[in-house]
Amino acid sequence: MPRLITAWVCFLMLAACSPKIMIHRATTDDIILLPRAEAENKISTCYEPLSYVAHPELLRLKYVRVNIHFMNSSDGRYNMPEEETTNYAQEWIKVTNSNLERNMQMFLPRGNTTPVLDIPYRYVISPDPTVPGDDGVYYHIDDELCYAVKTGRDRNISDKRVIEKYAVRDDSVMNIFLQTHHLDSIPSPTYRPDASGISLGSSVKIFGNWHKRPNVWDIRGITNHEIGHSLGLSHTWGGHDGCDDTPAHPNCWNVTNKPPCDSLYSNNMMDYNAHMAALTPCQIGKIVMNMTRLGAIQRNILEPRWCVLDTSATITISDSIRWEGSADLEGNIVIRDGGILEIGCRVSMPEGSNIKIFPGGKLVILSTGKIHNSCNSQWEGIEFVEERKMKGRLYIMEGGKIENTLHPLGTQL
Ligand SMILES: [Zn+2]
């Protein structure tokens, strides 16, 4: 008899231990409306650079499309031969990316403990897919536009004609133009034919002695610097770049044994110095913020990897998190028991993706929050995983939005 009881208890326990799991697709009936919070921020966190570096799970690498234009004269004296350019360009971009892979601890202020975050973007040479055989590296013979003059009467560095004439897909690719200093200027004792450049929107011009095939390691810093301008950063030495973690300084090229350059030398990418290899959290945040701003050129030049679902990019929320910046996700979201995800800005979900909420999990869309698909497509929507009739919660604060769901859930609140 006791044996029978034990077996019966076991059977009951087993039954209790295998609860029914049901998937319930969220509809408008599942939405719990919340009034707008009274103490809403005056300035939305969506416009704060530091909001964009607060959550590592949102910092997937972004890929900046670039193409490269070698300018030469008809006598061939202003650049390297065309047959060398593709290899040179590939090596150059590889080495320039290697600086992004190794963000440096800031030198300034002295003794700082500024965090060294991963820099979340890389460059990719991007051919025009509609042109057979295109490799994204171009060669132009133009006796008028092949050279640069940085100073004096013939100064032409901000001249946009070379861009207007030769840029390729500059609405979606960063065009990099290589111009050699005018060969008549180079010998002048008052002219500095150094590696330098200028950012002009989605194009940059890099000046150097391209006919001498400079070592790509020597131009990686200036390349990152000029593209840094195009991605939205200013010089830091004046102290007015909108970041608190980039102090003003005398802009020394390198350390010397005389003040102020014996101690106040910078290694920031956005100063003129021998390193140009450090970006602060605020600078990275600014770039990521620009890269997530709909319609911004900094966004349009990215490979839109967020338009294709990558299930390895799924984000699992197990504790309480508030996303205060916008993001374009590449995977699904899973909210586990005890997880609370508050969405305060725009979040894009890729086509085919969903948000799964487990019992005990909560999704809260704040009044400035929106979940949508930013690729003119649809995402699947929200699913509750129900166990023993327990399910998670979906809250939407007045003003919050859910859009572009394949199954109707959209709200116009
Ligand atoms: Zn600059």
Side-chain angles (χ1 to χ4, degrees):
M1 188 63 179
R3 211 176 233 191
L4 195 63
I5 292 171
T6 312
W8 181 235
V9 167
C10 268
F11 172 76
L12 280 177
M13 281 179 71
L14 271 178
C17 291
S18 43
K20 253 190 160 170
I21 292 180
M22 306 233 308
I23 302 291
H24 166 96
R25 182 167 288 136
T27 68
T28 43
D29 291 343
D30 295 298
I31 297 172
I32 304 166
L33 283 172
L34 298 175
R36 199 179 282 266
E38 271 185 26
E40 286 276 337
N41 291 336
K42 304 111 252 168
I43 299 170
S44 166
T45 58
C46 313
Y47 305 106
E48 275 289 332
L50 290 178
S51 301
Y52 289 79
V53 288
H55 298 287
E57 71 272 17
L58 300 180
L59 289 172
R60 296 269 292 182
L61 271 183
K62 308 260 189 240
Y63 294 87
V64 178
R65 293 184 283 223
V66 299
N67 62 33
I68 298 170
H69 302 259
F70 290 77
M71 304 301 301
N72 205 349
S73 54
S74 48
D75 62 8
R77 295 168 69 216
Y78 273 84
N79 219 314
M80 61 192 79
E82 185 173 7
E83 55 271 24
E84 293 180 25
T85 54
T86 296
N87 280 347
Y88 186 92
Q90 285 168 349
E91 196 56 26
W92 174 22
I93 292 304
K94 196 169 97 187
V95 162
T96 306
N97 274 331
S98 76
N99 257 32
L100 301 179
E101 284 160 21
R102 286 187 291 272
N103 195 10
M104 276 180 94
Q105 177 75 49
M106 284 281 282
F107 286 174
L108 297 177
R110 299 267 287 168
N112 74 84
T113 54
T114 305
V116 185
L117 305 182
D118 288 340
I119 298 177
Y121 63 88
R122 302 287 183 270
Y123 314 115
V124 196
I125 299 179
S126 300
D128 183 343
T130 64
V131 177
D134 187 10
D135 62 2
V137 179
Y138 308 108
Y139 201 76
H140 311 290
I141 306 290
D142 192 315
D143 289 327
E144 205 182 344
L145 301 175
C146 64
Y147 62 83
V149 180
K150 282 169 54 184
T151 49
R153 195 165 43 90
D154 298 322
R155 186 176 191 272
N156 69 353
I157 58 171
S158 48
D159 185 342
K160 289 188 175 170
R161 281 181 303 159
V162 71
I163 297 166
E164 285 156 7
K165 193 165 174 186
Y166 295 112
V168 175
R169 300 196 299 150
D170 63 345
D171 57 344
S172 55
V173 181
M174 163 102 37
N175 282 247
I176 304 174
F177 290 87
L178 312 192
Q179 292 173 316
T180 291
H181 299 282
H182 198 290
L183 296 183
D184 294 344
S185 305
I186 291 174
S188 162
T190 57
Y191 191 89
R192 282 186 53 201
D194 53 356
S196 50
I198 190 164
S199 151
L200 297 162
S202 64
S203 294
V204 300
K205 297 204 259 179
I206 311 277
F207 316 122
N209 296 312
W210 300 107
H211 56 310
K212 292 186 178 166
R213 304 165 179 77
N215 187 327
V216 287
W217 286 92
D218 297 336
I219 51 171
R220 68 195 195 283
I222 190 69
T223 310
N224 278 322
H225 177 105
E226 296 308 333
I227 295 178
H229 281 311
S230 287
L231 295 179
L233 299 185
S234 308
H235 294 144
T236 79
W237 67 80
H240 310 295
D241 66 339
C243 284
D244 292 336
D245 50 13
T246 53
H249 61 84
N251 202 23
C252 303
W253 174 259
N254 210 341
V255 61
T256 67
N257 46 25
K258 273 193 277 175
C261 299
D262 57 342
S263 57
L264 296 177
Y265 53 95
S266 165
N267 60 346
N268 193 275
M269 188 193 286
M270 299 315 293
D271 299 320
Y272 296 146
N273 61 66
H275 296 277
M276 295 196 212
L279 283 182
T280 65
C282 171
Q283 289 176 304
I284 293 173
K286 262 189 171 187
I287 289 176
V288 177
M289 183 170 77
N290 288 334
M291 286 177 168
T292 52
R293 208 173 67 233
L294 296 177
I297 187 65
Q298 292 89 352
R299 175 186 175 79
N300 294 346
I301 58 175
L302 299 178
E303 288 186 351
R305 297 197 179 197
W306 56 86
C307 291
V308 180
L309 175 62
D310 173 359
T311 50
S312 74
T314 293
I315 296 174
T316 301
I317 308 290
S318 310
D319 45 22
S320 188
I321 281 184
R322 180 187 279 210
W323 288 343
E324 295 190 310
S326 297
D328 295 286
L329 303 190
E330 295 174 23
N332 299 308
I333 299 176
V334 176
I335 304 175
R336 295 268 172 203
D337 184 11
I340 303 173
L341 175 60
E342 296 183 326
I343 292 186
C345 301
R346 182 188 68 78
V347 170
S348 171
M349 301 293 295
E351 186 176 342
S353 71
N354 64 34
I355 298 178
K356 267 197 178 64
I357 308 176
F358 279 79
K362 291 178 190 166
L363 173 63
V364 185
I365 302 168
L366 303 174
S367 56
T368 50
K370 172 166 110 168
I371 309 178
H372 75 143
N373 172 280
S374 64
C375 308
N376 292 321
S377 184
Q378 291 175 308
W379 62 292
E380 292 285 317
I382 297 169
E383 287 178 357
F384 292 105
V385 179
E386 288 185 21
E387 288 177 32
R388 275 178 263 143
K389 300 211 168 152
M390 306 228 305
K391 77 178 185 48
R393 296 278 182 271
L394 167 60
Y395 298 93
I396 301 186
M397 199 175 273
E398 187 189 350
K401 294 184 180 74
I402 300 175
E403 293 175 353
N404 315 124
T405 52
L406 184 59
H407 308 286
L409 177 64
T411 50
Q412 258 52 312
L413 301 171

